[in-house]
């Protein structure tokens, strides 16, 4: 592991809540670690599990998915679907030997820029602690499926 | 209340076997139909406006204010009814327990509102003004009475509103106290109102004859069920959600559905009238337009790839998808709002959200993680 490890995070933000919250964090000039690349999707329900797997395969150390709070989805119920999918996906990646803590699902409202910043800081710190994702090695060293989702 | 006569179903003989029909004989216009039954009318419409209004926060939840135990603790609407010249006592103020004219009336603001710990966090907006109105009217009816208004803040933002509150204070001599009530209890024939003056920090103790509570405003009963069946989103407090709080306040994300009045948020009458007018003109604009406009970001189904499994169909929150005769899924582009939930669920990748296809997202992921591409994390770190 390099001396100063900086994790790479792909953050999928829903257009209506999380993305707006992130915008507000910017408008308020709040500081948070620049480890994440945000990708805006219309609804967190747009999250195809493939996107997460693709991100891990391409070298992301962590994936954040942030949507509206449950019951507040702009598209009525999209985030409930996300919740179901991501819960299952965490079990799946655990079987692949990826620590499910590397996949994080958060609800961030438009007005919760402080929460967004907090999540970003926490997640970056957590990933620093976990170290870089080494797909092959992690699987061999630690044994696939050892993580509980 | 509209000023028309209504039949009291419990008292009318027409609804029980022995009918008298006297009113039918008296009405020259034949306006009364005693045998009218509830019926369901089905209509095909192009737009729906939801104006379901509000209810008062259940007063039973405010146990410390003694409602339910003390008859003389009433809500603003009940006092309004008492004062109304066509009300039960023909205008006037009497306290419910013994019919005496109350000499000391305490008006408590923000009951359940602006209380994020226990009740509702939002401001109900209309109470400051209607409590001022009721206190002024009370002082007109009972000039030697004392009216106390206990408030958190007076929010008189509106045309001539502040002047009205000032008049209540200066001309009608309503006593405004910035205070929070902690407890209301009965002592002999008085209601003791205990609280704290939040300016001086001192204890308040008022021996009142009647207490009027400004209950918080909540969405009317059944709003949640209605929103669910019409597939409209609601906010954290159950009010119907607009597309944009500032720029599109009367539209919902479900095409053809508009919201008006207090169903969206607490509103007073002028605001409700303006909001409803906006909703009506939006609805007229929709149904009278020669062509429907829609955002281009809807899903597209590749018929050659779609296997017709139908997994996407229950995913759609708007019922925009269906299987057509050829056993492939079909999208109604007018109803589709472009959330992409179906696209994520499609096992064969046949459904793609226009301008946000799987391929495009993969490229964004790749670009974001790239060490060379502008925008990639590594690239950003280098500069």
């Amino acid at each position: 592991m390099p001396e100063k490890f900086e994790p790479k995070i792909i953050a999928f933000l829903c257009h209506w809540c999380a993305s707006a919250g992130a915008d507000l964090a910017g408008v308020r000039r709040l500081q948070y670690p620049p480890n994440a690349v945000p990708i805006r999707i219309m609804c967190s329900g747009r999250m195809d599990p493939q996107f997460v797997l693709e991100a891990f395969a391409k070298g992301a150390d962590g994936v954040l998915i942030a949507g509206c709070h449950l019951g507040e989805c702009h598209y009525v119920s999209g985030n409930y679907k996300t919740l179901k999918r991501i819960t299952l996906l965490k079990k799946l990646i655990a079987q692949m030997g990826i620590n499910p803590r590397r996949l994080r699902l958060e609800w961030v409202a438009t007005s919760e820029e402080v929460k967004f910043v907090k999540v970003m800081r926490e997640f970056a710190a957590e990933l620093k602690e976990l170290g870089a994702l080494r797909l092959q090695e992690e699987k061999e060293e630690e044994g696939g499926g050892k993580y509980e989702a | 209340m509209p000023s028309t006569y209504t039949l009291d179903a419990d008292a009318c003989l027409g609804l029980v076997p022995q009918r008298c029909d006297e009113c039918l004989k008296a009405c020259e216009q034949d306006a009364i139909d005693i045998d009218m039954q509830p019926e369901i009318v089905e209509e095909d419409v192009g737009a729906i406006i939801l104006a379901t209004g509000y209810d008062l926060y259940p007063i039973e939840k405010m146990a410390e204010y003694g409602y339910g135990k003390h008859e003389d603790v009433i809500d603003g609407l009940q006092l309004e009814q008492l004062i109304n010249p066509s009300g039960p006592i023909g205008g006037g103020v009497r306290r419910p327990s013994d019919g005496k004219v109350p000499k000391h009336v305490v008006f408590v603001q923000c009951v359940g509102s602006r209380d994020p710990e226990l009740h509702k966090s939002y401001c109900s907006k209309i109470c400051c003004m209607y409590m001022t109105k009721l206190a002024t009217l009370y002082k007109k009816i009972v000039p030697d009475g004392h009216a106390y208004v206990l408030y958190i803040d007076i929010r008189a933002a509106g045309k001539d509103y502040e002047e009205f509150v000032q008049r209540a204070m200066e001309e009608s001599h309503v006593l405004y106290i910035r205070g929070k009530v902690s407890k209301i209890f009965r002592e002999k024939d008085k209601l003791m109102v205990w609280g704290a003056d939040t300016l001086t920090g001192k204890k308040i103790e008022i021996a009142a004859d009647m207490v009027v509570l400004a209950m918080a405003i909540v969405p009317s009963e059944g709003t949640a069920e209605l929103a669910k069946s019409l597939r409209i989103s609601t906010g954290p407090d159950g009010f119907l959600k607009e597309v944009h709080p500032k720029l599109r306040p009367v539209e919902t994300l479900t095409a053809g559905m508009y919201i008006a009045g207090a169903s969206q948020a607490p509103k007073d009458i002028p605001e409700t009238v303006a909001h409803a007018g906006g909703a009506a003109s939006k609805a007229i604009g929709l149904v009278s337009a020669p062509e429907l406009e829609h955002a281009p970001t809807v899903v597209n189904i590749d018929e050659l790839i779609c296997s017709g499994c139908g997994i996407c169909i229950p995913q759609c929150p708007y019922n925009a998808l269906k299987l057509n005769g050829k056993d492939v899924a079909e999208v109604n582009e007018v109803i589709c709002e472009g959330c992409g939930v179906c696209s994520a669920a499609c096992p064969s990748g046949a459904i793609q959200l226009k301008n946000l296809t799987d391929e495009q997202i993969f490229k964004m992921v790749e670009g974001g993680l790239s060490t060379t591409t502008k925008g990639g994390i590594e690239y950003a770190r280098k500069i």
Side-chain angles (χ1 to χ4, degrees), chain A residues 1 97 132-144:
Chain A
M1 200 198 296
L133 175 66
R134 290 165 300 165
L135 284 173
Q136 205 54 44
E137 293 154 34
E138 213 161 295
K139 199 173 177 181
E140 283 166 8
E141 281 169 16
E142 301 168 17

Side-chain angles (χ1 to χ4, degrees), chain B residues 218-245:
Chain B
V218 292
S220 66
E221 204 188 326
T223 299
E225 290 76 26
L226 185 70
K228 212 174 165 192
S229 60
L230 292 178
R231 292 158 189 273
I232 292 174
S233 25
T234 51
D237 297 305
F239 289 103
L240 300 175
K241 203 165 178 183
E242 64 291 321
V243 177
H244 190 285

Side-chain angles (χ1 to χ4, degrees), chain A residues 73-92:
Chain A
C73 180
H74 228 79
Y75 299 105
V76 186
S77 57
N79 49 8
Y80 281 100
K81 288 160 191 149
T82 320
L83 180 62
K84 281 195 264 184
R85 286 174 192 160
I86 301 306
T87 312
L88 276 175
L89 187 58
K90 280 190 179 175
K91 290 201 192 303
L92 181 76

Side-chain angles (χ1 to χ4, degrees), chain B residues 1 7 38 43 55 78 120 151 165 191 194 221 224 233 253 260 265 267 282 304 322 340 347 350 355 361 374:
Chain B
M1 286 286 161
L7 277 177
E43 298 272 1
D55 275 338
Q78 288 170 314
K120 301 288 173 190
Y151 64 95
V165 175
L191 285 167
W194 278 6
E221 204 188 326
S233 25
L253 253 193
K267 269 187 202 64
K282 282 278 178 195
L304 294 174
K322 65 169 196 285
N355 213 23
I361 290 182
K374 208 172 179 181

